[in-house]
Amino acid sequence: MSDDHDDGVTRRKFIQATTVAVGAAAFPFESLLAQATPISRAKYTRYNVTSPEGQRALASYAKGVQAMLNLPADHPQNWFRNAFVHLMDCPHGNWWFYVWHRGYIGFLEETIRNLSGDMDFALPYWDWTELPQIPDPMFDGPLNPRNMPFERYTGNLSDFTNFIQAPLQTYWNGLTAAQLAQLNVRGYPTFDDFWYSVNGYDPASQNAFAGNIAYATTCAARYLTRANPKFDAATAYDVSRHVVRSGIKPKDFYNANIALSFTSSKTPSHNTQPSASTNFSILEGMPHNQVHNYIGGVGPLDPGPYGNMTNFLSPVDPIFFLHHANMDRLWDVWTRKQKRLGLPYLPSGADLKTLAEEPFLFFVNGKGDYVGTSHAGDYFSTDRFDYQYAPSTDDQTSGGYAAPAAKQTAMAVKAEMKGNVATLSIPREAVMAHLAGDEPSLIAEVRIQRPSPTSLTRSFDVMIGAPASMTEADPSSPFFAGRIAFFGSMRHAIGGGHDMEMPEEATFAVPLPMQRAAFQNLDAANVAISVRVVPAHKLGKATPVKSVTVRSVQ
């Protein structure tokens, strides 16, 4: 049960300065780029969950979550109804990932503010780089989906179905043609197809697959516990400063070369599911996806069922919003870094128009009203919800990034493939600069075949320069480059139904380790490395490596 408390600490006051260096643009949306923002103070400040202010915010968060749990299932602000917005609409693996989630957690923040009675409430963020374990208060009361406040709704699938299915069906029946069209793109032409993602049922085989269930029972809703709150070594590596700084380093909001891109793939719409064209940026493909998976038990609990955080009902777990507040904070850190360097922090021209005009149709605001049609451009700035982030270590480190040279040369080396091993020869100068830097400058674009819809494997370890005898990755070894992970299971959207033979592929940006042992013949003019990808867990199956390109990111 909850042991929430109010520590009586008053909110810290400070002024956060940002300097904007931007120019005029061709589209109306680009006025965002042309606005010189004076030194100002937002109305709300999101603090680190470990700070006194963050701890105080958790008490209000718990009150708000409980109030949302108490609402009837036909209320738009009911806790589970709010989670279903994510299942129906959230983008992953594309360049709308950050902007959609900014809107989603922003409206949740408004709701908690209103229902908790704390009109100063702002979501705390969980900096998992600083604290690679679930914050202890998140195991209390309604902040833990394994606790009693959830039991009456999620004790078993029958209870959950009886509580929520009929109100959801009624809501579905009243959706607009535009909303139904977006759901169809997502792979949900009917309500039954939608509900199959909840219970894991596959109508093609007439079987239920444990790893595909978005719903989780109370007792299994989260893998990590107060007695076992810490990340494993691979997840801790993925959230390390080494990886996070690599994710902040790109100078393009979007670049088709994913090593140079802050965001993931450019897709036709935010509901277009990961496919053969999916490219995962560093922050989404590594810390974001892996934190989701490990909290829910991917790996330790294979073959499932897993906890809430591993699938698209992940917002049932209140830790979701602290996790995504941190992802949003890193976007804000990146944006302010770009402004300091006089670099664009959004696309330009037709790309900006496409990005900004994408309609979001399922949000619910803090008053419980359906927002209706809003657009991605509405959420480009934190001004929409009038918040800022308290200064952090990432602000200090990102301030050290240098402006690009007038003529920046980018090195790109493609691998030769032999079996499942990629070998490359990289100029010594580039390798030595990488090893001597404060953050990685060599980023691998690792293209793999997606696991089939029936595969249990969601996570893979990337090894650089490892001996041939090394068949499993050791996160403590100098050869470990990180764990790449797929978030969620979208069986209904893969292969045009369930075509197991369709060769879907995805590319992950992975920073190379900054360890001399990972590179061979460092005295040679060209340094040799090998790249292998192995299943992260014992039940996993190997997936073919299709290609590897290593780029130098200045």
Side-chain angles (χ1 to χ4, degrees):
M1 299 300 292
S2 175
D3 56 9
D4 299 324
H5 63 279
D6 185 342
D7 58 22
V9 178
T10 58
R11 193 172 300 276
R12 191 179 295 136
K13 296 183 178 181
F14 67 93
I15 297 294
Q16 181 179 23
T18 58
T19 303
V20 184
V22 289
F27 289 94
F29 312 104
E30 291 178 316
S31 62
L32 285 167
L33 299 176
Q35 293 170 0
T37 304
I39 295 174
S40 63
R41 173 183 167 84
K43 185 175 183 179
Y44 306 103
T45 300
R46 293 180 180 176
Y47 289 95
N48 192 323
V49 69
T50 60
S51 70
E53 297 90 345
Q55 295 288 297
R56 178 177 177 271
L58 284 185
S60 296
Y61 187 34
K63 293 176 184 176
V65 172
Q66 185 63 67
M68 294 177 74
L69 285 167
N70 292 342
L71 292 172
D74 60 358
H75 196 291
Q77 289 174 301
N78 171 269
W79 182 254
F80 299 101
R81 285 290 299 275
N82 183 70
F84 272 101
V85 172
H86 190 265
L87 178 60
M88 299 175 94
D89 198 40
C90 72
H92 289 87
N94 66 46
W95 67 347
W96 282 288
F97 167 81
Y98 284 102
V99 67
W100 187 93
H101 283 86
R102 173 168 286 172
Y104 182 58
I105 68 173
F107 286 122
L108 181 279
E109 185 174 65
E110 288 183 349
T111 294
I112 296 294
R113 192 175 296 140
N114 291 334
L115 295 183
S116 70
D118 179 0
M119 301 314 292
D120 293 323
F121 173 78
L123 273 169
Y125 67 86
W126 170 31
D127 182 353
W128 13 251
T129 303
E130 172 193 287
L131 183 71
Q133 66 183 66
I134 291 187
D136 190 69
M138 294 304 295
F139 294 109
D140 294 334
L143 299 182
N144 185 352
R146 293 176 58 131
N147 286 353
M148 284 303 296
F150 288 82
E151 179 68 22
R152 62 177 289 195
Y153 312 106
T154 58
N156 56 61
L157 180 58
S158 177
D159 287 346
F160 188 66
T161 301
N162 290 336
F163 173 71
I164 201 73
Q165 187 180 36
L168 273 177
Q169 174 79 73
T170 300
Y171 170 59
W172 182 286
N173 293 342
L175 293 177
T176 67
Q179 287 174 313
L180 292 172
Q182 285 198 356
L183 287 163
N184 188 62
V185 170
R186 194 171 180 81
Y188 297 132
T190 70
F191 181 81
D192 285 344
D193 293 310
F194 174 68
W195 191 255
Y196 292 151
S197 285
V198 177
N199 61 22
Y201 180 69
D202 175 25
S205 63
Q206 298 185 352
N207 290 313
F209 291 86
N212 193 44
I213 300 173
Y215 153 84
T217 58
T218 311
C219 62
R222 186 193 284 170
Y223 165 64
L224 292 176
T225 64
R226 176 168 269 136
N228 175 40
K230 295 183 178 181
F231 292 164
D232 66 352
T235 309
Y237 184 98
D238 272 15
V239 303
S240 67
R241 192 72 60 194
H242 161 94
V243 173
V244 169
R245 291 198 66 176
S246 299
I248 295 171
K249 190 170 184 177
K251 294 186 171 69
D252 292 333
F253 181 84
Y254 170 75
N255 192 303
N257 298 316
I258 196 61
L260 307 177
S261 184
F262 177 71
T263 58
S264 297
S265 301
K266 180 169 64 173
T267 55
S269 79
H270 77 283
N271 274 298
T272 302
Q273 294 307 310
S275 65
S277 63
T278 300
N279 294 331
F280 286 101
S281 63
I282 291 173
L283 292 180
E284 185 179 359
M286 294 181 71
H288 169 264
N289 288 0
Q290 182 55 26
V291 168
H292 264 284
N293 283 351
Y294 194 68
I295 290 175
V298 170
L301 300 180
D302 287 346
Y306 305 117
N308 292 115
M309 279 288 280
T310 66
N311 276 296
F312 287 82
L313 278 180
S314 49
V316 168
D317 189 335
I319 196 68
F320 171 96
F321 292 95
L322 275 64
H323 174 44
H324 271 277
N326 197 45
M327 291 298 296
D328 183 75
R329 179 184 68 88
L330 293 176
W331 179 22
D332 183 59
V333 167
W334 181 85
T335 298
R336 288 184 285 110
K337 177 212 68 170
Q338 295 289 102
K339 292 176 180 179
R340 282 194 296 270
L341 298 180
L343 295 170
Y345 53 95
L346 288 168
S348 60
D351 272 354
L352 181 60
K353 187 174 189 298
T354 297
L355 182 73
E357 289 185 341
E358 178 70 4
F360 298 155
L361 306 178
F362 292 89
F363 287 151
V364 175
N365 68 22
K367 297 179 180 179
D369 299 324
Y370 294 111
V371 174
T373 301
S374 64
H375 297 90
D378 298 338
Y379 311 104
F380 282 164
S381 169
T382 58
D383 292 348
R384 170 60 184 80
F385 298 103
D386 202 5
Y387 69 92
Q388 62 189 4
Y389 286 97
S392 66
T393 302
D394 293 303
D395 289 301
Q396 298 165 12
T397 57
S398 69
Y401 291 120
K407 291 185 179 180
Q408 182 175 334
T409 58
M411 183 208 74
V413 178
K414 292 185 178 180
E416 293 183 5
M417 301 298 306
K418 187 174 181 179
N420 219 32
V421 180
T423 57
L424 304 94
S425 183
I426 301 175
R428 181 179 185 275
E429 182 181 0
V431 173
M432 299 310 293
H434 169 78
L435 293 174
D438 293 329
E439 69 279 330
S441 59
L442 293 178
I443 310 296
E445 297 172 348
V446 182
R447 192 168 185 84
I448 64 173
Q449 183 168 312
R450 288 183 63 95
S452 74
T454 56
S455 174
L456 302 176
T457 311
R458 294 191 189 183
S459 303
F460 301 89
D461 291 334
V462 179
M463 298 192 298
I464 307 295
S469 60
M470 189 173 178
T471 58
E472 294 183 6
D474 178 359
S476 66
S477 82
F479 313 113
F480 187 77
R483 181 160 292 174
I484 55 178
F486 293 95
F487 165 72
S489 180
M490 299 295 291
R491 290 176 53 86
H492 63 281
I494 296 175
H498 300 287
D499 182 357
M500 306 303 179
E501 298 180 357
M502 182 173 180
E504 305 272 353
E505 299 173 1
T507 302
F508 290 82
V510 181
L512 298 193
M514 299 176 72
Q515 303 284 340
R516 295 176 69 89
F519 301 89
Q520 302 170 19
N521 303 321
L522 280 172
D523 292 331
N526 291 294
V527 178
I529 66 167
S530 63
V531 181
R532 284 190 287 145
V533 178
V534 298
H537 309 295
K538 291 182 178 179
L539 287 180
K541 294 182 179 180
T543 187
V545 179
K546 310 301 288 188
S547 69
V548 175
T549 298
V550 171
R551 298 185 189 276
S552 177
V553 180
Q554 303 299 321

